[in-house]
């Protein structure tokens, strides 16, 4: 009945605090909440905010225990829905800003991120829901920020805080990012906490829309503000994460295991025992993101920690996890493409691009690719299936040998530091193994790309298809 959206009932519920107190009493308990009953209360509050926003905000402002009383039940998904409804249920931008301002004044974001500290909150439900709530708030707030741009706005006056609500400003602050990283480091024994901390760190870069409907002036404003937001966050990440790269390397080497029993049972099966795990997958994805920033401070920290060498070792160790292979390949590709801002005279790869030097000379990536390729060829001759890794090795080999690679000059310089026999073997390997495979894969089945075929049909062009 309360969710029937009857105006008289909605008005009656907000006439005084007694009915709202009755609704919120469901949270005033130490016992586990009934998820279905909680979801009805959440929907009711969402309806009240949409219809009577000022009365609800005034009531919540007077109820000092509201946040603490509800957040202790954050392990229930309906509670996260309640907070999302508080922020999004009303369409008026001014009210949304006031609601976010009030929540921020109550240290809302800091209270949520505290649940990602496994040393204080070991329950994985709290980790999952708090991370999801932070990501949803950032995503919604960023969308609202960009949608409020007006054609008359001065493009030169735009800052990352232009039209940002208070919760988004807090989420973008260096202090808040530092809280997430601190919780990650303190939660080394909890897989769920580490995974969710890594998710929160990576998610904001996925919430920058790349397309915008509007005229050219609005698109220019949209693109400029998005760029400034990204650059600002990159700078903060560089400052906060550079000092903890060694700890991230240690987690990559020895991550917590979610289910020790499964690992113990899998010891008899070599393929099952070599499990990457969720922590390594999320962590190597974050490493790839940080490398893409191209910041010398982060690159120096990666070089000194040797985390790229660890990732390279794991690439050949975990031979059946394509998701992990794709992320390591992405790291290698980004290192090959990131050009140094300053070049020595004469060029010195060890100084100008230490990560590239580490990958080529210390990591011996050319030799390791050839060894793995030869091993797979022998295994296939023996009737074993082709290893999942081979497709990624093919792509890396193409990029390592391509003259279009931005750092091709430095690559040739680094090849001169390798043994002459390895360099010659590599050139033969590219000519006899990689190029033929790459040419085959570059051809479309039936001789024409399906999209081009559709376009030809639309425009009345009929082509004779050649067999593959």
């Amino acid at each position: 009945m309360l969710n029937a959206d009857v105006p008289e009932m909605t008005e009656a519920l907000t006439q005084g605090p007694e009915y709202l107190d009755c609704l919120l009493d469901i949270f005033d308990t130490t016992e586990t909440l009934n998820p279905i009953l909680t979801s009805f209360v959440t929907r009711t509050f969402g309806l009240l905010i949409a219809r009577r926003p000022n009365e609800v905000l005034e009531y919540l402002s007077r109820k000092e225990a509201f946040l603490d009383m509800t957040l202790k039940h954050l392990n229930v998904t309906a509670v996260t829905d309640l907070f999302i409804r508080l922020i999004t249920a009303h369409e008026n931008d001014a009210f949304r800003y006031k609601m976010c301002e009030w929540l921020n004044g109550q240290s809302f974001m800091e209270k949520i991120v505290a649940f990602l500290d496994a040393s204080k909150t070991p329950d994985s439900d709290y980790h999952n829901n708090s991370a999801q709530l932070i990501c949803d708030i950032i995503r919604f707030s960023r969308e609202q920020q960009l949608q409020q741009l007006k054609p008359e706005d001065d493009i030169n006056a735009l800052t990352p805080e232009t039209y940002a609500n208070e919760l988004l400003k807090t989420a973008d602050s260096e202090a808040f990012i530092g809280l997430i990283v601190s919780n990650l480091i303190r939660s080394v024994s909890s897989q769920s906490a580490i995974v969710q901390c890594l998710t929160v760190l990576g998610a904001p870069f996925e919430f920058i829309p790349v397309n915008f409907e509007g005229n050219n002036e609005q698109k220019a404003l949209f693109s400029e503000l998005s760029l400034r937001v990204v650059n600002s966050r990159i700078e903060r990440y560089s400052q906060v994460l550079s000092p903890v790269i060694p700890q991230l390397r240690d987690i990559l080497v020895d991550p917590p295991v979610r289910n020790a029993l499964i690992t113990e049972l899998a010891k008899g099966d070599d393929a099952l025992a070599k499990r990457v795990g969720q922590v390594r997958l999320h962590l190597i994805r974050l490493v790839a993101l940080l490398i893409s920033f191209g910041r010398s401070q982060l690159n120096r920290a990666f070089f000194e920690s040797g985390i790229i060498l660890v990732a390279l070792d794991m690439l050949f160790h975990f031979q059946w996890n394509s998701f992990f292979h794709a992320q390591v390949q992405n790291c290698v590709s980004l290192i090959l493409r990131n050009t140094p801002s300053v070049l020595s005279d004469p060029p010195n790869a060890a100084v100008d691009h230490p990560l590239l030097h580490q990958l080529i000379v210390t990591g011996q990536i050319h030799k390791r690719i050839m060894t793995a390729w030869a091993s797979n060829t022998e295994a296939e001759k023996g009737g074993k299936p082709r290893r999942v890794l081979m497709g990624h090795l093919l792509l890396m080999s193409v990029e390592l040998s391509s003259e279009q690679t931005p750092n091709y000059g430095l690559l040739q310089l680094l090849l001169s530091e390798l043994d002459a026999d390895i360099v010659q073997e590599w050139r033969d390997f590219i000519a006899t193994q990689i190029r033929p495979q790459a040419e085959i894969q570059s051809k479309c089945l039936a001789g024409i790309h399906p999209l081009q075929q559709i376009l030809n049909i639309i425009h009345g062009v009929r082509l004779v298809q050649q067999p593959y």
Side-chain angles (χ1 to χ4, degrees):
M1 291 176 65
L2 293 177
N3 283 273
D5 196 12
V6 179
E8 291 79 7
M9 292 182 65
T10 303
E11 184 177 355
L13 284 173
T14 54
Q15 286 298 315
E18 58 274 6
Y19 292 125
L20 295 177
D21 284 340
C22 184
L23 277 175
L24 290 182
D25 279 347
I26 186 177
F27 300 108
D28 192 13
T29 178
T30 57
E31 298 180 2
T32 303
L33 295 181
N34 182 322
I36 298 177
L37 184 59
T38 308
S39 68
F40 279 113
V41 173
T42 297
R43 280 189 238 168
T44 303
F45 255 89
L47 182 62
L48 293 176
I49 293 167
R51 299 289 183 260
R52 313 284 291 184
N54 295 324
E55 289 84 348
V56 173
L57 180 56
E58 182 181 355
Y59 167 78
L60 294 179
S61 300
R62 293 199 305 265
K63 196 170 185 64
E64 297 180 357
F66 169 71
L67 281 184
D68 293 333
M69 183 173 63
T70 51
L71 282 175
K72 67 183 180 182
H73 299 291
L74 197 61
N75 59 326
V76 179
T77 304
V79 176
T80 65
D81 294 339
L82 171 63
F83 291 113
I84 293 299
R85 289 175 186 270
L86 287 178
I87 301 170
T88 64
H90 200 271
E91 296 180 357
N92 184 272
D93 291 332
F95 173 78
R96 288 172 174 174
Y97 191 88
K98 286 169 60 178
M99 178 63 78
C100 291
E101 188 176 30
W102 174 74
L103 287 171
N104 193 63
Q106 302 294 314
S107 301
F108 180 58
M109 297 296 284
E110 290 84 353
K111 288 178 180 178
I112 300 173
V113 81
F115 287 106
L116 291 175
D117 184 355
S119 64
K120 298 178 181 178
T121 311
D123 190 341
S124 62
D125 288 335
Y126 283 98
H127 304 157
N128 299 338
N129 289 345
S130 59
Q132 186 62 52
L133 181 56
I134 293 171
C135 291
D136 286 343
I137 290 172
I138 294 174
R139 177 183 54 80
F140 171 77
S141 300
R142 187 71 72 201
E143 290 174 353
Q144 290 299 304
Q145 178 192 23
L146 295 171
Q147 288 172 4
Q148 290 184 66
L149 286 169
K150 303 177 183 64
E152 59 269 20
D153 288 330
D154 183 2
I155 194 169
N156 296 317
L158 294 178
T159 70
E161 295 186 350
T162 301
Y163 296 121
N165 63 45
E166 295 301 315
L167 294 180
L168 184 58
K169 292 177 183 178
T170 297
D172 282 341
S173 67
E174 188 172 319
F176 186 77
I177 297 169
L179 285 175
I180 301 171
V181 174
S182 298
N183 288 341
L184 190 158
I185 300 302
R186 283 197 296 268
S187 303
V188 291
S189 61
S190 171
Q191 174 177 293
S192 62
I194 292 178
V195 166
Q196 297 307 327
C197 285
L198 293 170
T199 299
V200 174
L201 286 172
F205 292 94
E206 301 175 5
F207 297 152
I208 305 296
V210 295
N211 296 315
F212 180 75
E213 297 294 333
N215 57 41
N216 291 334
E217 290 182 359
Q218 289 175 307
K219 288 181 179 179
L221 290 168
F222 179 92
S223 300
E224 184 63 27
L225 181 56
S226 297
L227 179 63
R228 294 186 183 187
V229 165
V230 169
N231 286 338
S232 173
R233 200 166 184 91
I234 285 174
E235 291 301 327
R236 294 188 176 102
Y237 271 48
S238 299
Q239 295 297 324
V240 175
L241 286 165
S242 294
V244 300
I245 296 299
Q247 288 96 314
L248 296 183
R249 176 196 176 278
D250 293 340
I251 294 174
L252 184 64
V253 172
D254 187 21
V257 179
R258 183 175 184 179
N259 194 326
L261 177 61
I262 293 177
T263 303
E264 188 68 27
L265 292 173
K267 284 184 177 179
D269 189 317
D270 185 59
L272 289 176
K274 293 181 179 180
R275 298 195 311 152
V276 174
Q278 288 293 316
V279 172
R280 287 194 178 108
L281 281 174
H282 282 78
L283 185 51
I284 198 63
R285 188 179 182 187
L286 178 66
V287 170
L289 175 67
L290 297 178
I291 293 175
S292 72
F293 296 163
R295 292 297 190 268
S296 57
Q297 184 179 4
L298 282 169
N299 289 342
R300 174 58 59 179
F302 284 135
F303 171 76
E304 292 175 353
S305 68
I307 195 170
I308 299 303
L309 298 178
V310 173
L312 198 60
D313 289 340
M314 290 182 176
L315 173 70
F316 296 100
H317 182 71
F318 300 108
Q319 297 187 4
W320 300 104
N321 195 307
S322 185
F323 300 104
F324 188 78
H325 302 159
Q327 293 302 325
V328 176
Q329 178 203 329
N330 191 22
C331 291
V332 172
S333 179
L334 289 166
I335 292 172
L336 293 174
R337 296 181 183 207
N338 284 349
T339 56
S341 55
V342 180
L343 284 174
S344 306
D345 188 16
N348 185 340
V351 176
D352 300 337
H353 202 328
L355 270 185
L356 185 62
H357 184 276
Q358 190 174 60
L359 182 69
I360 303 300
V361 178
T362 310
Q364 294 284 310
I365 188 171
H366 297 82
K367 181 178 180 180
R368 300 184 74 170
I369 288 175
M370 291 187 291
T371 302
W373 195 279
S375 175
N376 176 78
T377 301
E378 289 298 319
E380 284 190 79
K381 290 178 180 178
K384 293 185 178 180
R386 181 181 176 87
R387 292 169 185 165
V388 179
L389 177 66
M390 305 315 295
H392 301 284
L393 294 186
L394 174 66
L395 294 174
M396 283 191 284
S397 300
V398 169
E399 198 155 12
L400 281 165
S401 59
S402 173
E403 296 183 6
Q404 306 302 319
T405 302
N407 286 308
Y408 184 74
L410 287 177
L411 279 171
Q412 296 306 305
L413 187 64
L414 288 170
L415 283 176
S416 65
E417 298 185 31
L418 303 179
D419 291 342
D421 293 342
I422 293 178
V423 174
Q424 185 58 48
E425 185 181 355
W426 172 256
R427 288 171 179 162
D428 294 340
F429 172 70
I430 294 296
T432 60
Q433 300 288 336
I434 298 302
R435 282 179 186 160
Q437 286 280 347
E439 288 177 5
I440 292 173
Q441 294 196 7
S442 66
K443 295 178 181 178
C444 295
L445 291 173
I448 186 172
H449 194 281
L451 179 59
Q452 185 60 48
Q453 185 179 21
I454 293 171
L455 292 174
N456 291 338
I457 293 172
I458 292 173
H459 292 92
V461 179
R462 303 184 65 86
L463 297 179
V464 178
Q465 295 185 8
Q466 299 296 324
Y468 179 71

